[in-house]
Amino acid sequence: MTFKERAKELVAKMTLQEKLSQMRYDAPAIPRLGIPGYNWWNECLHGVARSGSATVFPQAIAMAASFDSELMERIGDAVSTEGRAKFNEYRKFGDTGIYQGINFFAPNINIFRDPRWGRGHETYGEDPCLTGRMAAGFVRGLQGKGKYRKADATLKHFAVHSGPENLRHGFDVNPSERDLRETYLWAFRYCIKHCEPSCVMGAYNRVYGEPCCGSPFLLEKTLREEFGFDGYVVSDCGAVCDFNENHGVTANAAESAALAVNSGCDLNCGSAYQWLKTSVALGLLSEEKVTRAVERLFEARIRLGMFDSDCEYDSIPYDVIECPEHLALSRKAAADSVVLLKNDGILPLDPKCRIAVIGPNADDRSVLTANYAGTPSEYVTVLEGIREAAGRRVYSSKGCHSFLMPGQYDENITRDAIITAAGADVVVMVMGLNPSMEGEQGDARNSGLDGDRADIELPQSQKYLFEEIMKLGKPVVFVNISGSAVALGEQDKRCAAVVQCFYPGAQGGRALADVLFGKVSPSGRLPVTFYASSADLPPFEDYSMENRTYRYFTGTPVYPFGHGLTYSEIREEWLDAERVVLENVGKTDTAYSVLRFENRPERRLVGFRKVFLKAGEKLTVDVPDDTAE
Amino acid sequence: MTFKERAKELVAKMTLQEKLSQMRYDAPAIPRLGIPGYNWWNECLHGVARSGSATVFPQAIAMAASFDSELMERIGDAVSTEGRAKFNEYRKFGDTGIYQGINFFAPNINIFRDPRWGRGHETYGEDPCLTGRMAAGFVRGLQGKGKYRKADATLKHFAVHSGPENLRHGFDVNPSERDLRETYLWAFRYCIKHCEPSCVMGAYNRVYGEPCCGSPFLLEKTLREEFGFDGYVVSDCGAVCDFNENHGVTANAAESAALAVNSGCDLNCGSAYQWLKTSVALGLLSEEKVTRAVERLFEARIRLGMFDSDCEYDSIPYDVIECPEHLALSRKAAADSVVLLKNDGILPLDPKCRIAVIGPNADDRSVLTANYAGTPSEYVTVLEGIREAAGRRVYSSKGCHSFLMPGQYDENITRDAIITAAGADVVVMVMGLNPSMEGEQGDARNSGLDGDRADIELPQSQKYLFEEIMKLGKPVVFVNISGSAVALGEQDKRCAAVVQCFYPGAQGGRALADVLFGKVSPSGRLPVTFYASSADLPPFEDYSMENRTYRYFTGTPVYPFGHGLTYSEIREEWLDAERVVLENVGKTDTAYSVLRFENRPERRLVGFRKVFLKAGEKLTVDVPDDTAE
């Protein structure tokens, strides 16, 4: 019997009430049928999250900067290995709580259309092709290739979701047909075609007036009929209650729940589906639709091996969690995600030079893990990584608060930074944002915007410190740590080197030091455009792609999408549209992502591939068109 | 000319307005007299604070647990060396801002009369003799023995100050004559007699109805006439405005300022003294009193070498800050402050055993530095210290939030801790408090109490985790990190070892590992009583010493004041009241603090001395009576 047939058979034994109970994320046990309880809410955006110890890989936006979909697959595999280890052991205790299951609400494949969006760092950036390819790699690794599914991945948030955070529960988006297809839905379609994601999560917002988790247009017509999605759909958490509470498209929770299930939202994260019995009683929902949903959910659970004793993942032991191999992979991923934006030759650093490490992000642990993360057993901050690599005394000073200008009685620490920098040969300034300045509604505490940013400038406190340090006339390596684009025009003009480090995971400091000291040649590329100023951006609430992202932006960015230097020099000689000869004509071995752009009619990425080239090495590489049907 | 004579001469050249300006903490320059601006507000409770990089020594309560007044002197000396380095360099830039001067508002020698007081960890504990001796050591080190004073120390808060934090600006205390003399004032008197502190800071509260910074009884009669204090008095910050705003003893700020100066409060931290001109105009204050205050302040500044070119401290260079010697001293101080409360022989740990490190304080940086701290360039958490010392993989798990029970959607991390612990031979649980749970008004965010604690129990979240871990039946080493007494009755009964680690400074994890693995034998002793429960305590607002601290407590504590084991066994044979023969009859070299108690009529500490004894070594030690006149 197929998983689908087994599910049909099992669900057929359930009463209506039992079926309805299984559509909640915290599904209770049905002992008479041998069905244990199961909590569907679990997270693994960049490592198993919120469930204690786990390898914390670089944040999604950082992984995207690696432009390496094979690396993504390895990471996805490591993540589900740790997830399985936890699931196996938790089950022995009879645990069926939140963050203990083996399906995950990741990846987030929304398009990072505006740098001010607080959740943008959860995504793979602004480009649909990059997003689709990176997500597909992650999903493949996560879900495995076994008889059973290793873990379930969830594409989220379907669809068009990208801020503002403080309006998300009631916002309506009316994108043009072209923007919808070529930007907002592209990666969903790509993944469904290429990597069989188990699940899709509906978004909070409305599209064309329909709330995403209750949208026949999105869930039935587009996702299932057009894209051929065959899995289950889950609501974002609380999104169904939004129908009546914030969107005002239904009168009460029973209507909301019915609308969701009728539209094809099988599973409810939140509490609306406790009203499903009422929905059925009122004739708003048929048992047939209920059965369809529950069959999908049990197909998934059976496919995950939960009801069999021969699942190949049941013996994964707990000590794979944060094992040396996974930590090394996290470090490699972080190093491969570092984007060298500018280098006058100062990098890699001379190990004999006296280094001063300055800035509020230098020794901050929160910029390593970002959001949706587990608890690493070891944090290596940038300062710690540099100190470890330098093998000698490294001088450091925080210099300023991340965003607050000092009050009358607050600590007085700028001068210490200036003095510290003045004694060095090279100043490494580690500035940028942190997850308290950009995040999800309720997470970030930035300027009343509920996680979003008001602009893309460096905060005033950091600008002040930057100017004070620049007055010293020392060569400055500017490391910007952030999850989104920051206006780095001044840094580009005035610093000897500029390095973009997206939130790099728990091993991040070590990885950045690998790059700064030349153990690893940088090979990351920007997954987002680095604009010159907030004035370049359309209004944040405007979902038109006009003048947004490298594909439609008509201005001049400081650093374009795809920009990224290495410590070597790679020559590209394209033989035809698909084949390119790469030659490392520099003196340093390096990884290199070759990008294939085409004009359709705007210039857009249609393929990419990452390879490693020793100094002097020449390689012919195929770069297939990922947009080919 | 003496410093006093030079001050008299200089002040004589000032106009009344100029004099008044010098009584503010942010004293402006008087260019026509060659007097630069000076900001009197600086902090160094356990290292130079709030001024950027600095060696962060163990918090005051931890240093007290070392029972080593000579160590205190070395620490004070290191702190003023770093303070001088900063002052020297800041001056080159013409800086005269807050936290840049060379007088410090430390030490805090209030008596830790109730474990619920949030600021208790800033003190040297509950015993006057211990407090006086430790403070005197620190002041001696800080102030130096040179021609000029190396730094000015400030005894604070004079007097009787010890919570509640949320009532401090309007609270009136009426202690008995005996409590006032033998408890609240004893250490002030001792220090003034033995170590010439430059400054005394008045407290926020009232005593016998008089606000401390405007109290003729405290400042004139007691401090100057009776104790012979010859330095300057500064108000706590904002305390003078409290006279009219909160205490209601004056009608307006001009009256408050006049009352303060007339009572002998020479310097104002806060803004009340901007009204001094009005006070004089209204006839509330004579120029004579003003002159007296300003002369005291300039005597201090001249004595600090600010107006001379031959000050022996002017050449201290910036790189003494966090130099290897100071870091090593901080680590030593932290190790010598660890208090071994119970040990069934499991400690020191067998380096071959598999260790699981569990608990919310294991990898928390905030418990290292506590409050009034600088910014260390290196934090070594307990987990990091143990990992470094073990030299092999150490398993760890946070297990719970410091004080919040998990909400419905919060991370779910208890099981991870249980599984992690189950795989180990020994579980090291690192629990307790952190500076967000006990602190100063405005600092700590604990339960609406403005820094104080509601009780002395471990938080519910930690109790739950503790019970879950204990169910495993593994041997548990319980490490309590806190700045105050916690009810550890259950831990004492059920754990193989119990270790008290007061907030240990930036090198704390390394120091604790030194003790856990036996590189250093523990030699700390409790500077406070560890009561069995909050029910043992009188009401927090009650300032009577009846049934408080080991001297007057009639119940049975879990661990008494002065308790502390070593890894060896020391026999004491007292030859007479003052002389004792100590013999290390164990197999481990160890430091040891011998305590001399006498009944007057209650049993109280009258002397102590710390020595080092090799295994088998015998020493005759003098323990003088510190209470002798």
Side-chain angles (χ1 to χ4, degrees):
Chain A
M1 279 209 294
T2 64
F3 297 130
K4 204 182 278 289
E5 288 162 352
R6 288 174 62 187
K8 228 179 171 63
E9 190 176 272
L10 182 59
V11 173
K13 295 175 186 160
M14 295 180 193
T15 65
L16 174 64
Q17 185 60 28
E18 284 168 343
K19 288 183 214 174
L20 297 179
S21 74
Q22 298 300 306
M23 296 169 70
R24 290 160 34 190
Y25 78 98
D26 51 343
I30 308 177
R32 69 174 191 91
L33 298 176
I35 297 171
Y38 184 71
N39 193 307
W40 290 85
W41 191 345
N42 204 353
E43 303 284 352
C44 76
L45 181 63
H46 54 120
V48 180
R50 302 182 182 173
S51 194
S53 311
T55 302
V56 178
F57 291 92
Q59 176 61 306
I61 191 74
M63 296 194 289
S66 75
F67 277 74
D68 187 345
S69 59
E70 286 160 30
L71 177 68
M72 287 304 289
E73 188 167 342
R74 289 173 60 197
I75 292 171
D77 177 55
V79 171
S80 60
T81 295
E82 296 197 3
R84 272 285 169 183
K86 285 184 178 282
F87 180 68
N88 292 340
E89 200 69 22
Y90 293 163
R91 271 207 296 189
K92 291 181 192 163
F93 290 89
D95 286 359
T96 60
I98 194 168
Y99 311 131
Q100 297 190 315
I102 194 60
N103 71 294
F104 293 98
F105 295 163
N108 181 337
I109 63 170
N110 290 128
I111 294 300
F112 197 173
R113 70 179 170 89
D114 190 301
R116 291 166 292 197
W117 186 31
R119 294 188 76 177
H121 55 93
E122 298 176 27
T123 76
Y124 301 120
E126 73 186 28
D127 182 73
C129 173
L130 176 65
T131 300
R133 279 276 305 280
M134 298 305 273
F138 188 69
V139 169
R140 269 186 214 106
L142 210 59
Q143 297 195 156
K145 294 168 183 157
K147 174 179 171 189
Y148 295 98
R149 204 149 276 190
K150 194 175 170 198
D152 276 3
T154 302
L155 305 181
K156 71 185 186 189
H157 310 83
F158 192 73
V160 194
H161 189 64
S162 49
E165 280 301 297
N166 57 9
L167 302 177
R168 66 183 189 171
H169 294 287
F171 203 65
D172 187 23
V173 185
N174 288 281
S176 71
E177 173 76 10
R178 187 183 176 205
D179 285 346
L180 184 71
R181 297 280 154 182
E182 297 189 10
T183 297
Y184 295 119
L185 297 184
W186 197 96
F188 287 94
R189 184 164 182 256
Y190 179 89
C191 285
I192 289 161
K193 191 170 166 191
H194 290 94
C195 68
E196 284 189 82
S198 300
C199 179
V200 167
M201 176 183 280
Y204 283 119
N205 51 279
R206 274 173 286 160
V207 172
Y208 304 144
E210 292 181 356
C212 293
C213 296
S215 168
F217 168 71
L218 283 177
L219 299 184
E220 292 293 337
K221 186 165 170 306
T222 307
L223 184 68
R224 296 199 184 270
E225 291 171 25
E226 185 184 334
F227 294 172
F229 177 68
D230 190 31
Y232 55 101
V233 171
V234 62
S235 73
D236 205 338
C237 300
V240 179
C241 291
D242 284 341
F243 294 3
N244 54 296
E245 290 174 10
N246 293 297
H247 294 302
V249 299
T250 51
N252 53 50
E255 283 187 26
S256 298
L259 175 59
V261 179
N262 282 323
S263 306
C265 180
D266 308 301
L267 181 66
N268 177 219
C269 189
S271 58
Y273 281 14
Q274 65 183 294
W275 296 97
L276 280 179
K277 202 177 169 186
T278 309
S279 312
V280 175
L282 291 174
L284 300 170
L285 176 64
S286 68
E287 180 157 3
E288 190 193 342
K289 288 276 172 71
V290 169
T291 302
R292 180 184 71 174
V294 179
E295 283 174 357
R296 287 179 186 146
L297 295 173
F298 274 88
E299 181 186 352
R301 287 181 66 177
I302 295 167
R303 191 173 53 201
L304 284 162
M306 284 184 208
F307 296 95
D308 293 290
S309 58
D310 66 340
C311 177
E312 63 261 57
Y313 308 114
D314 282 356
S315 57
I316 294 176
Y318 209 74
D319 71 357
V320 298
I321 293 163
E322 296 190 290
C323 62
E325 295 73 23
H326 291 179
L327 295 178
L329 181 61
S330 179
R331 178 176 178 172
K332 175 192 162 54
D336 287 357
S337 304
V338 172
V339 187
L340 180 60
L341 297 173
K342 175 188 175 178
N343 185 15
D344 72 357
I346 195 171
L347 293 179
L349 290 171
D350 178 347
K352 290 194 298 290
C353 71
R354 280 173 307 170
I355 300 168
V357 181
I358 305 291
N361 275 352
D363 201 27
D364 184 340
R365 287 176 159 193
S366 79
V367 301
L368 302 177
T369 54
N371 68 359
Y372 284 92
T375 308
S377 293
E378 185 184 36
Y379 297 83
V380 184
T381 66
V382 170
L383 176 61
E384 289 169 331
I386 290 176
R387 188 188 295 122
E388 185 178 283
R392 57 206 296 264
R393 190 168 174 190
V394 169
Y395 290 83
S396 67
S397 180
K398 185 177 173 190
C400 68
H401 186 273
S402 298
F403 55 89
L404 297 175
M405 290 295 283
Q408 198 175 358
Y409 308 129
D410 291 337
E411 56 179 9
N412 186 357
I413 62 177
T414 311
R415 186 64 70 200
D416 179 60
I418 296 167
I419 294 164
T420 303
D425 302 316
V426 175
V427 180
V428 178
M429 294 204 77
V430 191
M431 313 280 266
L433 310 177
N434 69 43
S436 82
M437 300 161 71
E438 52 178 347
E440 187 170 359
Q441 186 180 46
D443 281 353
R445 310 261 178 274
N446 190 30
S447 63
L449 289 176
D450 242 359
D452 297 323
R453 278 191 297 152
D455 59 54
I456 63 167
E457 315 298 321
L458 275 180
Q460 200 55 37
S461 62
Q462 296 189 39
K463 280 186 176 172
Y464 176 77
L465 179 62
F466 176 74
E467 292 301 332
E468 289 296 310
I469 298 293
M470 292 311 290
K471 284 180 194 163
L472 298 171
K474 299 274 174 183
V476 168
V477 175
F478 192 92
V479 177
N480 186 68
I481 304 185
S482 66
S484 58
V486 169
L488 298 179
E490 286 300 309
Q491 286 68 37
D492 181 59
K493 269 185 226 137
R494 296 157 65 190
C495 296
V498 182
V499 175
Q500 173 63 28
C501 181
F502 296 99
Y503 302 133
Q507 295 286 313
R510 226 162 241 159
L512 185 67
D514 286 341
V515 170
L516 294 179
F517 289 99
K519 193 168 166 181
V520 174
S521 167
S523 64
R525 290 182 180 273
L526 289 182
V528 289
T529 302
F530 271 50
Y531 303 95
S533 109
S534 305
D536 288 337
L537 303 172
F540 184 25
E541 293 78 4
D542 182 356
Y543 268 70
S544 163
M545 290 305 294
E546 192 182 332
N547 217 21
R548 288 189 182 284
T549 77
Y550 77 97
R551 288 181 299 151
Y552 308 107
F553 181 55
T554 55
T556 306
V558 177
Y559 300 113
F561 172 87
H563 178 63
L565 309 171
T566 69
Y567 288 154
S568 197
E569 191 191 338
I570 308 296
R571 282 210 195 123
E572 297 184 8
E573 191 190 340
W574 288 84
L575 303 176
D576 54 35
E578 184 159 331
R579 282 191 316 157
V580 61
V581 179
L582 301 178
E583 183 177 3
N584 185 343
V585 298
K587 291 179 178 153
T588 310
D589 303 348
T590 190
Y592 185 78
S593 291
V594 54
L595 311 189
R596 176 176 169 187
F597 286 96
E598 292 192 1
N599 295 324
R600 299 181 180 179
E602 298 82 6
R603 183 167 164 274
R604 62 167 291 184
L605 185 73
V606 301
F608 58 93
R609 190 148 160 220
K610 194 156 196 173
V611 293
F612 193 88
L613 294 128
K614 287 188 180 297
E617 192 175 350
K618 205 168 177 175
L619 269 182
T620 303
V621 175
D622 275 336
V623 188
D625 180 357
D626 294 318
T627 70
E629 290 297 316
Chain B
M1 278 209 294
T2 64
F3 297 130
K4 204 182 277 289
E5 288 161 351
R6 288 175 60 188
K8 228 178 173 62
E9 190 176 271
L10 182 58
V11 173
K13 294 175 186 160
M14 296 180 193
T15 64
L16 173 63
Q17 186 59 29
E18 282 168 344
K19 287 183 213 173
L20 297 179
S21 74
Q22 298 301 305
M23 297 170 71
R24 289 160 36 190
Y25 77 98
D26 51 346
I30 308 177
R32 69 172 190 93
L33 298 177
I35 298 171
Y38 184 71
N39 192 307
W40 290 85
W41 191 345
N42 204 354
E43 303 285 351
C44 77
L45 182 62
H46 54 120
V48 180
R50 302 182 182 173
S51 193
S53 312
T55 303
V56 178
F57 291 91
Q59 176 62 305
I61 191 74
M63 295 194 288
S66 74
F67 277 73
D68 186 345
S69 59
E70 285 160 32
L71 177 68
M72 288 301 290
E73 189 167 340
R74 289 174 58 197
I75 292 171
D77 177 56
V79 171
S80 60
T81 296
E82 296 197 2
R84 271 285 169 183
K86 285 183 178 283
F87 180 68
N88 292 340
E89 201 69 20
Y90 293 161
R91 271 208 295 188
K92 291 182 193 163
F93 291 88
D95 286 359
T96 59
I98 193 168
Y99 311 130
Q100 297 190 315
I102 194 61
N103 72 293
F104 294 98
F105 294 163
N108 181 337
I109 62 170
N110 290 128
I111 293 301
F112 198 173
R113 69 179 172 90
D114 190 301
R116 292 166 293 197
W117 186 32
R119 294 189 76 177
H121 55 92
E122 297 175 27
T123 75
Y124 300 121
E126 73 186 28
D127 183 72
C129 172
L130 176 65
T131 300
R133 280 276 304 279
M134 298 304 273
F138 188 69
V139 170
R140 268 186 215 107
L142 210 61
Q143 298 194 156
K145 293 169 186 156
K147 173 177 168 189
Y148 296 98
R149 202 150 276 189
K150 195 175 170 198
D152 275 2
T154 302
L155 305 181
K156 73 186 184 186
H157 309 82
F158 193 73
V160 195
H161 189 65
S162 49
E165 280 302 296
N166 57 8
L167 302 178
R168 66 183 189 171
H169 295 287
F171 203 65
D172 187 23
V173 186
N174 287 282
S176 71
E177 173 75 11
R178 187 184 175 203
D179 286 346
L180 183 72
R181 297 279 154 185
E182 297 189 10
T183 296
Y184 295 117
L185 297 184
W186 197 95
F188 285 93
R189 185 165 181 256
Y190 178 88
C191 285
I192 289 162
K193 190 170 166 190
H194 290 93
C195 67
E196 284 188 81
S198 301
C199 179
V200 167
M201 177 184 280
Y204 283 119
N205 51 279
R206 274 174 286 159
V207 172
Y208 305 143
E210 292 181 355
C212 292
C213 296
S215 167
F217 167 70
L218 283 177
L219 300 184
E220 291 293 336
K221 187 165 168 304
T222 307
L223 184 68
R224 296 198 185 269
E225 290 171 26
E226 184 184 334
F227 296 173
F229 177 66
D230 190 33
Y232 55 102
V233 171
V234 61
S235 74
D236 205 339
C237 300
V240 178
C241 291
D242 285 340
F243 295 3
N244 52 296
E245 290 174 8
N246 293 298
H247 293 301
V249 299
T250 50
N252 54 50
E255 282 187 26
S256 298
L259 174 58
V261 180
N262 281 325
S263 306
C265 181
D266 309 299
L267 182 66
N268 178 218
C269 190
S271 59
Y273 282 13
Q274 64 185 293
W275 296 97
L276 281 179
K277 202 175 167 186
T278 309
S279 312
V280 174
L282 291 173
L284 300 170
L285 176 63
S286 67
E287 181 158 2
E288 188 193 342
K289 289 273 172 74
V290 169
T291 302
R292 180 184 71 175
V294 180
E295 283 173 359
R296 286 178 186 147
L297 296 172
F298 274 88
E299 180 186 353
R301 287 182 67 177
I302 295 167
R303 190 173 54 200
L304 284 162
M306 284 184 208
F307 296 95
D308 292 289
S309 58
D310 65 338
C311 176
E312 63 261 58
Y313 308 114
D314 283 356
S315 56
I316 294 176
Y318 210 73
D319 71 358
V320 298
I321 293 163
E322 295 190 290
C323 62
E325 295 71 24
H326 291 180
L327 295 178
L329 182 61
S330 180
R331 178 175 179 171
K332 176 193 162 52
D336 288 355
S337 302
V338 172
V339 186
L340 180 60
L341 296 173
K342 176 189 174 177
N343 186 15
D344 74 357
I346 195 171
L347 291 180
L349 291 170
D350 178 349
K352 289 194 298 290
C353 71
R354 280 172 307 170
I355 299 169
V357 181
I358 306 291
N361 274 352
D363 201 28
D364 184 340
R365 286 176 160 193
S366 79
V367 301
L368 301 177
T369 52
N371 68 0
Y372 284 92
T375 308
S377 293
E378 185 184 37
Y379 296 83
V380 185
T381 66
V382 170
L383 176 60
E384 289 169 330
I386 290 175
R387 187 187 297 121
E388 184 178 285
R392 58 205 297 263
R393 190 168 175 189
V394 169
Y395 290 84
S396 66
S397 180
K398 185 178 171 188
C400 67
H401 186 274
S402 298
F403 54 90
L404 296 175
M405 289 297 282
Q408 197 176 0
Y409 307 130
D410 291 337
E411 57 179 8
N412 186 356
I413 62 177
T414 310
R415 186 63 72 201
D416 178 60
I418 295 166
I419 294 163
T420 303
D425 302 315
V426 175
V427 181
V428 178
M429 296 203 75
V430 190
M431 313 281 265
L433 310 177
N434 69 43
S436 82
M437 300 160 72
E438 52 177 348
E440 186 169 359
Q441 186 179 45
D443 281 352
R445 310 263 178 274
N446 190 33
S447 63
L449 289 176
D450 242 357
D452 297 323
R453 280 191 296 153
D455 58 53
I456 64 168
E457 314 299 321
L458 274 180
Q460 198 57 37
S461 62
Q462 297 190 38
K463 279 186 177 172
Y464 176 77
L465 180 63
F466 176 74
E467 292 301 333
E468 290 297 309
I469 298 292
M470 292 311 290
K471 284 179 193 162
L472 298 171
K474 300 273 174 184
V476 169
V477 174
F478 192 92
V479 177
N480 186 68
I481 304 186
S482 66
S484 57
V486 169
L488 297 178
E490 286 302 307
Q491 286 68 37
D492 181 59
K493 268 185 224 137
R494 296 156 66 189
C495 296
V498 182
V499 175
Q500 172 63 28
C501 180
F502 296 98
Y503 302 134
Q507 295 287 311
R510 226 162 241 157
L512 185 67
D514 286 342
V515 170
L516 294 178
F517 289 99
K519 193 168 164 182
V520 174
S521 166
S523 63
R525 291 182 179 273
L526 290 181
V528 289
T529 302
F530 271 49
Y531 302 96
S533 111
S534 305
D536 287 338
L537 303 172
F540 184 25
E541 293 78 3
D542 181 357
Y543 267 70
S544 163
M545 291 305 295
E546 192 181 333
N547 216 20
R548 288 189 182 282
T549 77
Y550 77 98
R551 287 181 300 151
Y552 307 107
F553 182 55
T554 55
T556 305
V558 176
Y559 300 112
F561 172 88
H563 178 63
L565 307 171
T566 69
Y567 289 154
S568 198
E569 191 192 337
I570 309 296
R571 278 208 199 126
E572 298 183 8
E573 191 191 340
W574 288 83
L575 303 177
D576 54 36
E578 184 160 331
R579 282 193 314 157
V580 60
V581 179
L582 301 177
E583 184 176 3
N584 185 342
V585 297
K587 291 178 178 154
T588 310
D589 303 348
T590 190
Y592 185 78
S593 291
V594 54
L595 311 189
R596 175 177 169 186
F597 286 97
E598 292 192 3
N599 294 323
R600 297 181 179 181
E602 298 84 5
R603 183 168 163 274
R604 63 166 292 182
L605 185 73
V606 300
F608 59 93
R609 188 145 163 221
K610 194 158 195 172
V611 293
F612 193 87
L613 295 128
K614 288 188 179 294
E617 191 176 350
K618 205 168 177 174
L619 267 183
T620 303
V621 176
D622 274 336
V623 188
D625 181 357
D626 294 318
T627 69
E629 290 297 316

